[in-house]
Amino acid sequence: QVNGSVANFPVYVNLNHLPASFFDTVLANGADLRVTKSDGVTEVAREVVYVDRTNNAGELHFIANGSLTNASNGVFYLYYGNSAATEPAAGATYGKNNVWSNSFTGVWHMNALTNGTASVMDSTSYVNHGTPYGGMTSGALVTGKTGNATSFDGSDDYIQLGAASAVNNVSQVTITSWIKRSSSGALVLPFSNSKTSGDMSNRFHLGFWNDGVVYLNVSSGSSSYAYYGHNDANWHYAVMSFDGSLSGNANRLGGYLDGISQSLSYGGT
């Protein structure tokens, strides 16, 4: 069950919770994993981020086609063990792109890193794959809140996503990220998109800065932003939500931390 009602919602499955017998049987790449609705027949799209049979771990997402509500349990079945199964193509009916078909324009699981190579894969059909720079290698992959995460050195590490044309001229945008400062006061920039490199007046941006403040920036021609104070070194689910069709700063731009709406101060309009 969920707190409200949602339609076509991507569901996260932590495979670590499955018994050892699952990892004895499932294919090493998880290509045999299939998810169906409660009838055991109607298949839904799924994405296998990874399967680790040595450490009995893994990450799976599937789309709950239809609605999930707080009125009854939603039932889905996970099938595995077909040694002849192959991975669906990303854009196929049950491929990973269709897990993120409900207005997602970018999803990055941070599951692989190769410096200078487009190795941070975008799971959506927009294929805005990220290229790590600053000498980043697989050694920067660490245990995250859900699956793997990327540890940045605070000096020159970054991931370049290129021209994300899917967000050009949009009036509504939401950015979400699991983040963790290395220490209080450490700088974390989960996401920043500018019209041109370094352009502070035409961008949207979510940043945990080294002054102990979280900045939410949505600018079009002049610098405008909101901010709230937060400065610990724990995992947090950070959200920035913008709706340009509304009027007034407080209605247009919102910030949430671990599902709790934050009291924001504003600069610019």
Side-chain angles (χ1 to χ4, degrees):
Q1 295 184 15
V2 293
N3 290 333
S5 295
V6 292
N8 298 328
F9 188 76
V11 176
Y12 162 64
V13 181
N14 184 349
L15 299 180
N16 304 35
H17 297 313
L18 297 183
S21 58
F22 167 81
F23 294 96
D24 292 337
T25 306
V26 69
L27 295 181
N29 63 354
D32 55 329
L33 290 172
R34 298 291 186 272
V35 179
T36 73
K37 293 185 175 182
S38 59
D39 61 8
V41 176
T42 306
E43 193 170 344
V44 300
R46 96 292 182 268
E47 178 185 16
V48 181
V49 179
Y50 77 99
V51 171
D52 182 347
R53 296 193 301 182
T54 301
N55 296 301
N56 291 4
E59 180 180 352
L60 170 76
H61 301 261
F62 71 88
I63 189 166
N65 281 1
S67 296
L68 296 177
T69 75
N70 57 4
S72 61
N73 291 329
V75 177
F76 293 84
Y77 291 104
L78 177 65
Y79 290 87
Y80 61 97
N82 178 2
S83 60
T86 58
E87 178 67 22
T93 301
Y94 308 121
K96 67 179 183 179
N97 291 167
N98 283 311
V99 176
W100 310 102
S101 58
N102 195 5
S103 299
F104 287 87
T105 56
V107 175
W108 300 272
H109 298 294
M110 305 297 183
N111 200 51
L113 290 172
T114 301
N115 192 69
T117 300
S119 52
V120 182
M121 309 307 288
D122 177 10
S123 295
T124 75
S125 61
Y126 294 97
V127 295
N128 290 309
H129 303 320
T131 301
Y133 291 100
M136 299 183 73
T137 67
S138 59
L141 294 175
V142 297
T143 300
K145 186 66 176 180
T146 59
N148 288 325
T150 300
S151 176
F152 297 87
D153 65 8
S155 175
D156 59 354
D157 286 356
Y158 68 99
I159 298 173
Q160 172 61 255
L161 299 177
S165 59
V167 298
N168 287 349
N169 301 314
V170 297
S171 61
Q172 297 172 316
V173 64
T174 298
I175 300 171
T176 70
S177 179
W178 280 104
I179 71 98
K180 182 180 184 294
R181 297 180 190 265
S182 58
S183 61
S184 295
L187 174 66
V188 182
L189 300 177
F191 191 89
S192 184
N193 179 287
S194 299
K195 186 175 181 179
T196 57
S197 180
D199 185 353
M200 301 288 285
S201 299
N202 291 279
R203 70 170 184 169
F204 52 91
H205 164 97
L206 170 63
F208 285 60
W209 285 81
N210 50 13
D211 57 2
V213 175
V214 180
Y215 289 93
L216 318 174
N217 181 287
V218 181
S219 301
S220 180
S222 62
S223 181
S224 56
Y225 58 92
Y227 59 94
Y228 62 92
H230 190 80
N231 196 26
D232 66 29
N234 300 318
W235 280 107
H236 294 287
Y237 186 60
V239 177
M240 183 185 87
S241 180
F242 173 76
D243 186 345
S245 68
L246 302 177
S247 60
N249 287 337
N251 294 320
R252 287 198 298 258
L253 184 59
Y256 302 82
L257 200 67
D258 303 326
I260 300 173
S261 178
Q262 300 298 298
S263 178
L264 302 179
S265 299
Y266 295 90
T269 58

